[in-house]
Amino acid sequence: MADAARSHALQIVGSLLVALAIVAVTVSLVTSRLGPGIDDDRGRDARDRRQERQEELRERREERREERRKD
Amino acid sequence: MEDLVENLANGNVTAVKIVLASVIMALAVYQVVLMAVGWGKVKLPFLKGKPASFAHRAVGDTIVTITIVVAFMCLAYFGIEDGIEHARPGETDRATMHVVAAFALLAALAFKIVVVRWWHRLGKYLPVIGLTVFALFLATWLTSAGDYLLGG
C-alpha cells in the first residue's frame, strides 16, 4: 500500500518534472529563434516586421495620448 | 495599462507574448498526452492513469494562469480593434482569426473548468471539450506566435 502511494507520488513528480523540462526547452528554442542570434533572412525579416509593428503601435499610442490631452 | 504591460515586459511585449504563448502550446500538447494516459487510451509502463490525471490538473492550472496573463497583455497592449484594423496589409484575416479563436478559447476554457469543478453531469463530454480547447489553443497560437516563428 505504502509502495503504491510512493510509486504514484513519484509518477506525479516525474510528470511535473517533464512539464518543467518542456517549458525550459520551449523557452530556449523560442528565444534563440527570436533573439539577436537570428541570422537567417526569414528570422531577420520577422524581427524587422515585429519592430516596425511595435514602433507603429507606440506612435499610435502617443497620438491617442496627445488627442486625449487636447480634449 | 499599456505602460504597465510595456514595463513588465521591459519593452519587449511581443517577444514575451510569443515565448509565453509557445510555452502554453507545448504544455497543451503534453496535456493531450497526459490525458490519453489518464483515460487509458495510451498505456505506459512507467505512468499510470491516476498520476497522469493529477499531473494533467496541475499543469492545466498553470496553463490557465499563463493564458490569462497573455490574454491580459494582448488586450491591454494591442486591443481588439487596433489589432485588426492596423494589421499589416494581407494580415487582416489572420488578425481577425486570432481574435475569434482567442475569445472562443477563453469561453471553452471557462466552460471546461466549470464542468471539471462543478458541472459533473457533463463530465462524460470532457474528452470532447478538452480536444476542443486544444484545437483552439492551436488555432490561437498558429495565428499569432506560430505565424511569427514559422511563417517569418
Side-chain angles (χ1 to χ4, degrees), chain A residues 1-14, chain B residues 51:
Chain A
M1 194 70 174
D3 277 353
R6 223 183 92 192
S7 167
H8 271 206
L10 277 175
Q11 287 177 43
I12 290 167
V13 171

Side-chain angles (χ1 to χ4, degrees), chain A residues 28-39:
Chain A
S28 166
L29 285 175
V30 174
T31 47
S32 68
R33 183 86 176 83
L34 292 173
I38 301 171
D39 51 7

Side-chain angles (χ1 to χ4, degrees), chain B:
Chain B
M1 282 299 177
E2 292 160 358
D3 291 339
L4 171 73
V5 171
E6 199 162 3
N7 288 336
L8 280 174
N10 202 19
N12 303 300
V13 180
T14 307
V16 169
K17 265 188 63 209
I18 288 173
V19 172
L20 290 178
S22 301
V23 165
I24 293 171
M25 195 58 238
L27 287 177
V29 173
Y30 184 51
Q31 286 286 78
V32 173
V33 175
L34 280 177
M35 249 4 251
V37 175
W39 287 93
K41 300 286 179 197
V42 174
K43 306 255 186 231
L44 296 174
F46 50 85
L47 183 62
K48 301 283 174 242
K50 212 172 169 186
S53 300
F54 190 91
H56 177 89
R57 179 74 74 93
V59 174
D61 289 345
T62 310
I63 288 177
V64 169
T65 309
I66 307 175
T67 303
I68 290 168
V69 171
V70 174
F72 169 75
M73 287 175 83
C74 205
L75 287 172
Y77 195 74
F78 297 101
I80 299 171
E81 286 173 28
D82 264 10
I84 295 173
E85 280 176 21
H86 300 286
R88 292 177 71 82
E91 292 206 333
T92 313
D93 290 347
R94 181 194 61 75
T96 309
M97 278 160 59
H98 177 68
V99 170
V100 172
F103 275 100
L105 168 65
L106 291 178
L109 210 48
F111 182 62
K112 185 171 187 253
I113 292 168
V114 168
V115 172
V116 168
R117 310 262 169 181
W118 300 289
W119 207 352
H120 301 298
R121 205 157 47 87
L122 295 182
K124 60 185 172 186
Y125 299 114
L126 274 174
V128 177
I129 301 169
L131 286 174
T132 305
V133 167
F134 175 74
L136 289 169
F137 265 125
L138 187 63
T140 308
W141 182 80
L142 281 174
T143 50
S144 57
D147 185 61
Y148 279 114
L149 294 170
L150 306 174

